Amino acid sequence: MTTKARSTVADSKVADMQHDTIEINNKQHMTTDYGIKISDPDHWLRVVNDKNTGPSLLEDQIAREKIMRFDHERIPERVVHARGTGAFGTFKLFESAEDVTSAGVLTDTSRETPVFLRFSTVQGSKGSADTVRDVRGFAVKFYTSEGNWDIVGNNIPVFFIQDAIKFPDLIHSVKPEPHNEVPQGQSAHNNFWDFVYMHSETTHMNYWQMSDRAIPRSYRMMQGFGVNTYSLVNKEGKRHFVKFIFTPELGVHSFVWDEALKICGQDPDFHRKDLMDAIDAGHFPRWKFGLQLLPEEKLDDFDFDPLDATKVWPEELVPIRYIGQLELNRNVDEFFPQTEQAAFCTSHIVPGIDFSDDPLLQGRNFSYFDTQISRLGANWEELPVNRPVCPYMNMVNRDGAMRHRISKGTVNYWPNRFQANPPATPAQGGFTSYPDKPNGFKEHYNQAQTFYNSLSPIEKAHLTKAFSFELDHCDDPVVYKRLCERLTDTSLELAQAVAQNVGGDTPKKANRSNHGKKAKGLSQLEYMPKTAVIDTRRIAILIADGFDYASYTAIKEALSARGAFVFTIGAQRQGVVSQTGEKVVPDHFFNGMRSTLFDATFVPGGKHVETLAKNGVAKFWITESFAHLKPIAAVDEAVSFVQKRVGLDEVVVAKAGEKSKESYGVVTGFGGKDVLGVKDVTAESKGLAEKFIWLVSRHRCWERELDGLADQV
Ligand code: HDD
């Protein structure tokens, strides 16, 4: 038995892990862990009487191994970021950064560096849902020729706190409350917002966390940020401070809130499956990798402290220099050894890269190594997914639970009489630290204001709703009233709207005036691809007996040809028969799916609309898709079905004979397959299918919400 087809991308990490990989097949007999063949895995050894009853025997060493092994299968879950998933891939450099660093991984353009990337949520435990409102982890391990380099980042560029000593307080406040272990996968509770009020430095991150960034449509559609400031040091010993940024090729897209909430129940593994399916189908997600570089002598040139992790470096002041590309192209073969046991450390850097005095980073450098020892044991770095691909040896670091590498030789200390395992000089690639000087941070609101000012109206509306949702779940008036007051430090308009929703006193004046500044790169709408990219978008076609086969096939082919994942959702999975007699076996039946799990919906013409019009799931599908701002297309008889479900005069549909009409993201037309041809797709395209594809590539139809036609989001 083999697992699903995987990409065959060859790299040094694939070769390295072969040593520990066994292929399960039907030729190798089942054995115990100590190697003897098992003849009966299904029955415990017993003493039986003539009625075939009797006690089980402790003697059965095979049964005992099976049960006791099982009893110990679990390891502690990560104290934060417990819920996650990962994949392997490749990092390629297209421009050398040798002017600022001597690190081979950032200077040698001929290399392909293998990587492992783990995405995660923060608050929920290992079995919690993927689509909760939360920050997402973005942790990358580069297996470089000089040792492992980990960027342990998030999809949000700033953090809640400035000093690592506050981390246990922050995490305790956001995790389920101690008296009742509630709530799971949410920050919407008293303790978190109480903590927020007590720590004004959380303000900036709160704005990001309450924005659409915290409900991503896919891990493949998020940015990744190293957050902390590191250093790059070049051959001449000159230092630049640096922030690391990953920007996805597919753009940055999010769910609407109602949809994210529902998917938590409908498909709690949505993001995990989305990533795996895309890679299995060969649609490898890619991110541009960039650096923001600050020469050391410019550190004091700003009205904020660049080493403060609650601050971004505005792109206008410190542009991003994109120098490489990260691609994920291989799913793991087994989750536990390759994802659950994957372990990252911010302290894992390679020569040419160094830390900064950011106190959050300094604390993290201590915490990660420590947590891996408690989660995985002292020899966690020997595990296949964690070990480097370059030669490594440290004869002092040995012993400890589960040590399995064998070091030959008579000494285990340095210095020794044989000069065995000698340290390397910098010229031989030995790591040396860059000397540093300390700094301090005070101001907490300016950048939160810049973030708010830079959002589009729709993003501001979502932010207001998100704050309101969270505070609505706080039942202690002290918590929500004080928070509404706190919001006036950044925006009076926001504070008033939230207070009205959640019951705080309406603030009359702002605590601080708005500086009115905006900055590039903060609104996620800026990352929309310029062309009609619908690669991996999940599009549903609804059919029942009597559908028009020609238009069904035409649209399915057109969408699939552009890389979309097209799913047929039919009245029954035994088969649906078209009005010309063709039988189609749908991917799912109506009640097995929900509109929330798709980016857009197409309904072909035909008599089947009479069945659709009587089916509650099919009817609600259109209503809900409209409420979630998703593109909907319908041809011929399906036009009136869709029109009725939307039920709004503002949404104008095609009249009989009219080939194509678009109104609020609803595309309709008459002419069967003849109106479904696809040529160039642009914003100006007039054809029905072209218009639909363009809308899908824009992700959502925001005008619906702005004009008050869809207020469920
Ligand atoms: Fe952390 C895990 C990201 C601050 C302590 N963190 C963890 C993971 C990510 C981050 C992505 C999951 C790694 C994985 O997939 O295995 N953490 C961040 C970012 C931070 C941050 C972007 C701010 C810039 N973290 C932070 C601080 C501390 C920690 C200040 C402690 C002082 N983080 C941990 C941890 C975890 C962790 C407790 C839990 C599991 C693990 O490390 O491996 O040590």
Side-chain angles (χ1 to χ4, degrees):
M1 182 182 57
T2 51
T3 47
K4 257 183 145 180
R6 302 291 184 220
S7 148
T8 52
V9 177
D11 63 35
S12 45
K13 195 62 195 167
V14 178
D16 172 56
M17 286 190 303
Q18 292 304 327
H19 305 305
D20 298 278
T21 304
I22 46 167
E23 186 85 21
I24 298 181
N25 58 52
N26 53 13
K27 296 190 185 68
Q28 162 86 51
H29 287 294
M30 184 188 283
T31 72
T32 62
D33 289 348
Y34 66 94
I36 62 158
K37 287 183 187 151
I38 297 174
S39 60
D40 181 0
D42 300 324
H43 301 96
W44 199 303
L45 190 66
R46 298 164 79 194
V47 186
V48 291
N49 56 26
D50 50 4
K51 291 196 192 94
N52 207 22
T53 60
S56 304
L57 293 178
L58 261 187
E59 178 189 314
D60 190 344
Q61 86 285 16
I62 295 177
R64 276 188 293 119
E65 180 190 86
K66 186 172 182 182
I67 295 297
M68 292 166 79
R69 189 70 191 61
F70 171 76
D71 290 344
H72 296 269
E73 263 178 20
R74 292 287 169 269
I75 58 171
E77 66 173 33
R78 290 167 176 82
V79 57
V80 276
H81 295 266
R83 171 75 185 173
T85 197
F88 291 96
T90 324
F91 175 70
K92 284 185 209 156
L93 203 60
F94 48 71
E95 177 194 314
S96 167
E98 65 194 353
D99 50 325
V100 290
T101 178
S102 60
V105 60
L106 299 180
T107 55
D108 183 351
T109 49
S110 67
R111 278 192 199 184
E112 284 198 4
T113 303
V115 299
F116 179 74
L117 202 169
R118 183 174 178 271
F119 302 100
S120 49
T121 57
V122 179
Q123 199 263 13
S125 40
K126 191 169 171 289
S128 58
D130 280 347
T131 62
V132 297
R133 173 178 293 285
D134 200 350
V135 179
R136 297 299 185 283
F138 194 108
V140 192
K141 190 179 288 297
F142 297 79
Y143 303 95
T144 88
S145 317
E146 291 81 23
N148 287 353
W149 170 36
D150 294 352
I151 297 181
V152 197
N154 281 338
N155 73 331
I156 287 179
V158 287
F159 202 60
F160 292 107
I161 48 171
Q162 299 167 311
D163 189 322
I165 200 167
K166 296 300 308 172
F167 192 69
D169 301 289
L170 166 72
I171 298 306
H172 283 177
S173 82
V174 72
K175 278 275 187 180
E177 296 191 359
H179 60 296
N180 57 3
E181 186 89 350
V182 172
Q184 182 61 235
Q186 301 200 17
S187 55
H189 59 110
N190 288 328
N191 283 2
F192 177 66
W193 290 98
D194 186 25
F195 179 89
V196 163
Y197 179 77
M198 302 283 183
H199 297 83
S200 51
E201 67 268 36
T202 61
T203 309
H204 190 193
M205 175 88 164
N206 282 142
Y207 272 71
W208 284 83
Q209 178 206 8
M210 292 300 112
S211 78
D212 292 345
R213 299 262 184 168
I215 42 172
R217 154 66 178 81
S218 162
Y219 289 138
R220 303 174 291 121
M221 300 171 193
M222 314 185 308
Q223 285 187 291
F225 302 93
V227 182
N228 291 118
T229 301
Y230 279 83
S231 303
L232 293 182
V233 184
N234 67 13
K235 282 215 176 83
E236 289 73 45
K238 156 100 182 135
R239 162 152 95 172
H240 280 76
F241 290 111
V242 64
K243 278 188 187 281
F244 302 113
I245 292 152
F246 299 87
T247 297
E249 199 179 56
L250 293 173
V252 180
H253 303 292
S254 295
F255 288 121
V256 294
W257 179 228
D258 185 60
E259 189 185 14
L261 274 178
K262 287 174 173 168
I263 299 176
C264 284
Q266 288 162 351
D267 190 354
D269 306 303
F270 185 90
H271 280 151
R272 188 175 277 206
K273 284 161 41 184
D274 168 275
L275 178 69
M276 208 173 66
D277 290 349
I279 295 175
D280 269 343
H283 295 262
F284 301 145
R286 296 191 186 97
W287 287 261
K288 282 188 300 173
F289 172 75
L291 310 172
Q292 278 186 297
L293 291 162
L294 192 61
E296 185 172 18
E297 60 279 8
K298 299 221 162 136
L299 190 65
D300 298 325
D301 288 5
F302 301 89
D303 62 357
F304 60 91
D305 190 327
L307 300 189
D308 172 356
T310 67
K311 304 292 185 290
V312 290
W313 295 358
E315 282 181 53
E316 289 82 354
L317 303 179
V318 192
I320 304 179
R321 173 172 156 194
Y322 285 104
I323 61 165
Q325 175 182 277
L326 185 148
E327 174 187 276
L328 294 181
N329 46 36
R330 192 158 43 88
N331 281 315
V332 301
D333 288 306
E334 195 180 2
F335 189 86
F336 183 84
Q338 294 184 303
T339 304
E340 194 56 16
Q341 290 195 327
F344 299 84
C345 280
T346 52
S347 53
H348 283 183
I349 51 174
V350 291
I353 303 176
D354 209 324
F355 309 116
S356 74
D357 269 349
D358 169 353
L360 197 74
L361 176 61
Q362 295 287 330
R364 293 181 77 195
N365 287 345
F366 174 81
S367 179
Y368 286 74
F369 198 97
D370 188 46
T371 208
Q372 310 314 355
I373 292 176
S374 107
R375 205 164 66 84
L376 300 164
N379 287 305
W380 66 273
E381 284 174 285
E382 281 189 17
L383 295 169
V385 66
N386 296 327
R387 69 187 172 214
V389 294
C390 64
Y392 63 100
M393 179 200 285
N394 186 320
M395 60 161 176
V396 183
N397 298 350
R398 54 171 84 193
D399 295 3
M402 301 300 156
R403 163 82 168 162
H404 62 270
R405 218 169 171 227
I406 298 161
S407 310
K408 292 210 274 187
T410 57
V411 288
N412 55 359
Y413 53 88
W414 175 262
N416 59 65
R417 61 193 181 285
F418 308 110
Q419 293 289 304
N421 203 201
T425 62
Q428 293 167 320
F431 182 86
T432 48
S433 291
Y434 190 90
D436 231 324
K437 65 178 170 40
N439 245 285
F441 339 104
K442 287 176 196 68
E443 197 288 316
H444 300 150
Y445 304 115
N446 277 334
Q447 289 205 350
Q449 233 167 34
T450 311
F451 179 76
Y452 184 74
N453 294 344
S454 308
L455 295 182
S456 64
I458 206 76
E459 289 170 301
K460 281 187 182 162
H462 291 177
L463 186 87
T464 310
K465 287 179 185 171
F467 270 113
S468 306
F469 179 94
E470 296 274 316
L471 295 182
D472 182 63
H473 283 68
C474 300
D475 55 8
D476 187 338
V478 173
V479 175
Y480 59 79
K481 284 186 175 173
R482 290 207 303 203
L483 233 296
C484 292
E485 222 177 275
R486 167 58 48 74
L487 289 175
T488 65
D489 284 310
T490 34
S491 165
L492 182 62
E493 157 193 73
L494 175 71
Q496 289 175 333
V498 174
Q500 184 179 8
N501 288 341
V502 305
D505 303 322
T506 303
K508 298 280 178 300
K509 63 176 190 47
N511 263 357
R512 305 162 70 251
S513 59
N514 193 322
H515 55 49
K517 286 185 213 151
K518 293 183 179 181
K520 240 173 75 177
L522 304 182
S523 161
Q524 68 184 61
L525 298 187
E526 284 180 33
Y527 299 95
M528 188 71 80
K530 305 260 178 302
T531 54
V533 181
I534 61 165
D535 198 61
T536 73
R537 288 297 182 157
R538 293 167 60 86
I539 303 176
I541 307 181
L542 297 190
I543 56 166
D545 288 338
F547 70 100
D548 174 31
Y549 185 73
S551 51
Y552 162 81
T553 315
I555 196 73
K556 189 170 172 181
E557 281 170 5
L559 297 171
S560 304
R562 298 186 74 93
F565 290 168
V566 184
F567 296 84
T568 304
I569 315 296
Q572 63 278 328
R573 209 157 81 165
Q574 271 182 346
V576 178
V577 181
S578 76
Q579 60 188 8
T580 41
E582 292 87 353
K583 183 171 166 181
V584 166
V585 177
D587 298 296
H588 297 280
F589 91 118
F590 287 156
N591 215 7
M593 281 285 135
R594 291 291 184 273
S595 83
T596 41
L597 306 174
F598 299 88
D599 292 297
T601 296
F602 181 91
V603 193
K607 283 211 166 78
H608 75 139
V609 293
E610 289 165 20
T611 310
L612 298 182
K614 287 182 201 141
N615 184 292
V617 176
K619 288 197 300 187
F620 186 61
W621 191 291
I622 302 298
T623 316
E624 192 178 48
S625 295
F626 187 84
H628 291 160
L629 318 174
K630 293 173 181 176
I632 301 168
V635 192
D636 302 330
E637 291 90 335
V639 172
S640 63
F641 166 67
V642 163
Q643 184 187 26
K644 274 198 196 109
R645 297 321 308 160
V646 171
L648 292 167
D649 294 342
E650 289 88 340
V651 180
V652 184
V653 298
K655 294 194 193 65
E658 200 177 347
K659 286 184 180 159
S660 148
K661 177 112 210 159
E662 193 266 318
S663 170
Y664 285 107
V666 178
V667 198
T668 47
F670 289 84
K673 78 170 175 34
D674 297 340
V675 295
L676 296 175
V678 181
K679 293 198 199 112
D680 279 353
V681 182
T682 65
E684 280 73 42
S685 298
K686 295 278 181 287
L688 194 156
E690 289 164 347
K691 201 82 213 160
F692 181 55
I693 290 171
W694 177 255
L695 287 168
V696 175
S697 79
R698 299 303 90 194
H699 184 58
R700 293 301 161 92
C701 180
W702 305 116
E703 295 77 32
R704 267 183 222 163
E705 191 184 353
L706 285 170
D707 289 357
L709 306 187
D711 52 9
Q712 203 186 339
V713 291

